Amino acid sequence: MGLFGRKTVTVDADILVIGGGMAGTGATYESRYWGRDLKIVCVEKANIERSGAVAQGLYAINCYMGMQWGENQPEDHVRYARNDLMGLVREDLGYDIARHVDGTVHKFEEWGLPMMRDPKTGRYQREGKWQIMIHGESYKPIVAEAARKAASEVHNRIMVTHLLMDQKAKRVAGAVGFNVRTGDYCVFRAKAVIVCAGGASHIFKPRSVGEGMGRTWYAPWSSASAYALPIQVGAKMMQMENRIVLARFKDGYGPVGAYFLHLKTYTQNGYGEEYESKWKEHTRALVGDYIDHHPTPTCLRNHAFLQEVAAGRGPIRMVTTEAFQDPHKETVGWENFLGMTIGQAVVWASQNIDPKYINPELTTSEPYVMGSHATCSGAWASGPEDYAPSDYQWGYNRMMTVDGLFGAGDTIGGTAHKFSSGSFTEGRIAAKAAVRYVMEKGKAQPEVSDEEVRELERTIFQPLETYRVGRNEIVAGTVSPSYILPLHGLQRLEKIMDEYAGGISTNYMTNDKLLNRGLELLKMLKEDMRQIGAEDLHQLQRAWELQHRLLASESVTRHTLYREETRWPGYYYRGDFMKLDDEKWHCFTLSRYDRKTGEWTMEKAPVYHIVD
Amino acid sequence: MPTFVYMTRCDGCGHCVDICPSDIMHIDKTYRRALNIEPNMCWECYSCVKACPMQAIDCRGYADFAPLGHSVRALREEKKGTIAWKIRFRDGREKNFLSPIRTTPWGTIKGPAEYAAPRAEDFNRQELAHEPDSLKIEGGLPALRREQLKQGVV
Ligand SMILES: Cc1cc2nc3c(=O)[nH]c(=O)nc-3n(C[C@H](O)[C@H](O)[C@H](O)COP(=O)(O)OP(=O)(O)OC[C@H]3O[C@@H](n4cnc5c(N)ncnc54)[C@H](O)[C@@H]3O)c2cc1C
Ligand code: SF4
Ligand code: SF4
């Protein structure tokens, strides 16, 4: 029994995987392949059967080379991702995922994931150059089964709040958190840790703030833990300014990939006109010949969308009425949503929108911070041993700048367009390296100070105590002078980020004055977090999700302030530096947080390209 | 569409509580049946709907943008390996869809430890488990040469 008569559960592991989503299940599987005798523990805040961004399933695997049929080579994917991110991706890491990803997808098929096949060629049915179509309703349960077969233990419903460090040996030593069901304090001691905790929604105020605020594009449970956990222990982050804005079907945020690529639907303005080409010269003035790249970078397409709407010619619509006359295409269009964004089907059913007869509206979403889509925020990681330049290599593949701390999926920066298959693959890459780390360097069980473990326990459960005491001051209700509730804090965070760091209400515009003011307000919110109250364990989880979002938001704001250019118009704009500036900013931005002083250190890192 | 639970169908089994990725399906202490405690943190992911053995959970589109009168129902049958969908529009029109969910029996995935153990030299190579065979290509795992990566703007 610990403080307040609470039970402490201590688990010793060789490898600890935090988050059992796509990357985490991949990491768990691969850890066992290489570490036959190791104790491999996967810890997850929900239930790995349906956790993470793939909880509802997917209708496409968006990263598959098709090397067996000579469709694409890994280099091609690197060039594609580089082009889409306006020149700035970690090409060494991206190539590494691309060279392994086909093997992962072939395993998925063997495990029982239904793949669609082209009836003429017998190959996987392509949705686009990189995407293949699947019946993926059970994608997550299938990879979860593989992970359960591999893990020594899977611990569901444990919210991980902090990483543990061996201060003497300067290496990671595990993690702590609490069981959301029992309230037990959980201490995991491990020789290597792989963070696979997904991306971040609800950093910026979403378009819907009523009952529908959970209908964000990325899952509402993507709580930025992937960034906050490493940031807290001083791991370097990269490109945190590189948030993503998505053009999606209105309100439901149903994906548009299959519509553009497979169904060949296209967009037009409210008056039925093509508009993208009109903005080409305007965009050229901002970014130069990046506008001529093929395919047009996602952010630049957003930029044209935003300009057209600002010019008073909205709404932008997807022309579906032609394609949907074909019954096969109509089925694909609907199943695409039922397989991964069911909410879109509901919006259409409720508003009598049948895309066979009505061209549905699109909108641009609030910004998201993540590392696996058309964006690449995340941790700064060491590259593959066989070819990464020395600037990118200081240890094991996918190890962060903290010894023994690895990551994969949304957690790792610089590797845009890895998606579900690439995240699983990156989990595998990180796991093999982590096993090697444990075998070569990490043999001894790291030491954790008992004092630190007890101090963290007090910190973690404080919101319950704050609520219990403060609650007696007031009659009833949610308004107290002594505490704020997690939802209050979340809405304040979203408002600050929205108004000061380039959210929807400023049309994604910000500048140094706004960002600095935003930082002042974030600081006060950080102070108020000492007075966050939690009524029960569920609210305690929300309180810690908010803590993680807040730390990630601070990082986003610092990075946005540091990069003095507008690299990705359509994702965000620096009003004081409206142009892309390759001379000064063809580089990565890196940050490091010092938790003792609360200071951030910023630096630039070079970009290496495959040149041939 | 946040979820809600029909009082007469729910028997309080807790499957929805166990699966919800948002931790918002809870058992009401008075009624001993499930409810969504935080509709504004619901992703409409349908994990709970699919998991409920009593078909007790349904969704009503988010009040702030979905007019009433619609429904999207799912029936996921693991043994058959299918999921069936019924969409009803506000004006009464209906659409039905049926998709496969898995091609192999549940529980049959071969765990990684059931494969031959890797050799000592494999640890220092770049191949992952099952590679290079699983890539289905000739010539082994592709790689870059270090000198192919250079600084500059391309
Ligand atoms: C609407 C939508 C459509 C998409 N479409 C496609 C597509 O068509 N094709 C495709 O290939 N990809 C698609 N993706 C992208 C894909 O889902 C992601 O790239 C992938 O899931 C990222 O993997 P991950 O492991 O990093 O994160 P996730 O899969 O989200 O996993 C993160 C895990 O960490 C857990 N976790 C988080 N915080 C904590 C904590 N503090 N303690 C313990 N556990 C924690 C979470 O519960 C979760 O299980 C789509 C995503 C979305 C949202
Ligand atoms: S799964 Fe269905 S029957 Fe069981 S508690 Fe939930 S709503 Fe009730
Ligand atoms: S639809 Fe998803 S998020 Fe909503 S209550 Fe059900 S399982 Fe939870």
Side-chain angles (χ1 to χ4, degrees), chain A residues 49-336:
Chain A
E49 183 76 3
R50 289 272 181 198
S51 66
V54 183
Q56 31 187 338
L58 292 179
Y59 199 67
I61 286 176
N62 284 355
C63 182
Y64 179 73
M65 302 301 114
M67 289 190 286
Q68 60 172 324
W69 300 304
E71 291 178 330
N72 298 291
Q73 296 307 322
E75 289 92 327
D76 305 328
H77 192 260
V78 171
R79 292 192 184 97
Y80 165 66
R82 165 211 295 168
N83 173 53
D84 197 45
L85 272 292
M86 309 290 283
L88 309 185
V89 291
R90 276 283 299 270
E91 301 194 5
D92 62 323
L93 298 179
Y95 182 94
D96 198 21
I97 292 172
R99 66 174 165 170
H100 293 292
V101 75
D102 284 13
T104 293
V105 172
H106 300 152
K107 263 304 184 228
F108 290 162
E109 181 175 27
E110 186 190 311
W111 290 342
L113 183 66
M115 318 290 285
M116 292 187 215
R117 288 194 178 260
D118 183 322
K120 282 196 216 94
T121 61
R123 299 176 182 177
Y124 294 150
Q125 175 68 53
R126 279 280 175 197
E127 177 182 296
K129 190 169 167 56
W130 306 104
Q131 301 81 355
I132 52 175
M133 296 167 74
I134 58 173
H135 287 291
E137 189 280 332
S138 292
Y139 196 176
K140 190 68 217 297
I142 289 169
V143 296
E145 183 183 318
R148 275 194 301 263
K149 291 259 169 89
S152 310
E153 291 166 15
V154 175
H155 292 259
N156 286 324
R157 297 293 168 194
I158 289 169
M159 171 75 197
V160 174
T161 58
H162 301 80
L163 294 176
L164 287 171
M165 290 293 291
D166 179 333
Q167 298 298 356
K168 260 191 260 144
K170 296 250 176 297
R171 59 183 271 216
V172 78
V176 293
F178 63 96
N179 186 313
V180 183
R181 294 278 178 266
T182 62
D184 292 346
Y185 176 46
C186 304
V187 182
F188 296 90
R189 290 185 300 208
K191 295 172 187 164
V193 174
I194 311 175
V195 177
C196 301
S201 61
H202 287 282
I203 294 272
F204 288 85
K205 184 170 88 183
R207 287 203 184 270
S208 179
V209 292
E211 195 178 75
M213 77 178 267
R215 177 90 291 275
T216 42
W217 166 72
Y218 223 48
W221 44 83
S222 299
S223 55
S225 305
Y227 313 117
L229 293 172
I231 288 173
Q232 282 169 341
V233 293
K236 283 186 186 172
M237 292 287 128
M238 70 177 286
Q239 302 291 90
M240 292 298 283
E241 71 279 19
N242 180 205
R243 74 293 290 276
I244 182 172
V245 168
L246 304 110
R248 287 290 181 270
F249 287 107
K250 189 164 181 303
D251 295 332
Y253 289 156
V256 295
Y259 280 73
F260 280 127
L261 299 168
H262 186 71
L263 306 179
K264 307 284 183 227
T265 62
Y266 54 92
T267 56
Q268 54 182 216
N269 69 15
Y271 298 91
E273 300 154 349
E274 187 278 334
Y275 62 90
E276 266 188 36
S277 60
K278 266 199 305 219
W279 295 103
K280 205 167 166 177
E281 292 315 310
H282 167 92
T283 310
R284 189 188 306 283
L286 298 177
V287 300
D289 57 15
Y290 282 89
I291 186 62
D292 299 322
H293 289 191
H294 290 286
T296 308
T298 309
C299 61
L300 300 184
R301 295 192 69 185
N302 282 354
H303 178 67
F305 186 125
L306 294 171
Q307 295 301 315
E308 189 68 6
V309 172
R313 287 187 291 271
I316 304 299
R317 290 182 185 276
M318 184 75 96
V319 181
T320 51
T321 47
E322 295 160 13
F324 273 54
Q325 299 311 315
D326 172 348
H328 166 72
K329 289 190 172 172
E330 186 189 10
T331 303
V332 169
W334 279 101
E335 285 187 349
N336 187 56

Side-chain angles (χ1 to χ4, degrees), chain A residues 106 149 208 211 343 538 609, chain B residues 38 44 60 64 109 134 150:
Chain A
H106 300 152
K149 291 259 169 89
S208 179
E211 195 178 75
H538 173 74
H609 295 291
Chain B
E38 218 179 351
E44 341 165 326
R60 186 271 284 139
D64 46 346
I109 292 174
S134 62
K150 294 216 171 63

Side-chain angles (χ1 to χ4, degrees), chain A residues 221, chain B residues 3 19-22 24-25 36 41-49 59:
Chain A
W221 44 83
Chain B
T3 53
I19 205 71
C20 174
S22 202
I24 59 180
M25 292 305 288
N36 181 339
M41 278 289 140
C42 177
W43 202 36
E44 341 165 326
C45 73
Y46 271 65
S47 299
C48 57
V49 175
C59 289

Side-chain angles (χ1 to χ4, degrees), chain A residues 437-457:
Chain A
Y437 172 87
V438 169
M439 289 173 27
E440 292 167 9
K441 282 200 162 179
K443 280 193 187 123
Q445 190 72 44
E447 280 176 40
V448 195
S449 91
D450 206 43
E451 200 185 327
E452 189 183 346
V453 170
R454 286 301 145 214
E455 179 60 33
L456 284 170
E457 177 178 12

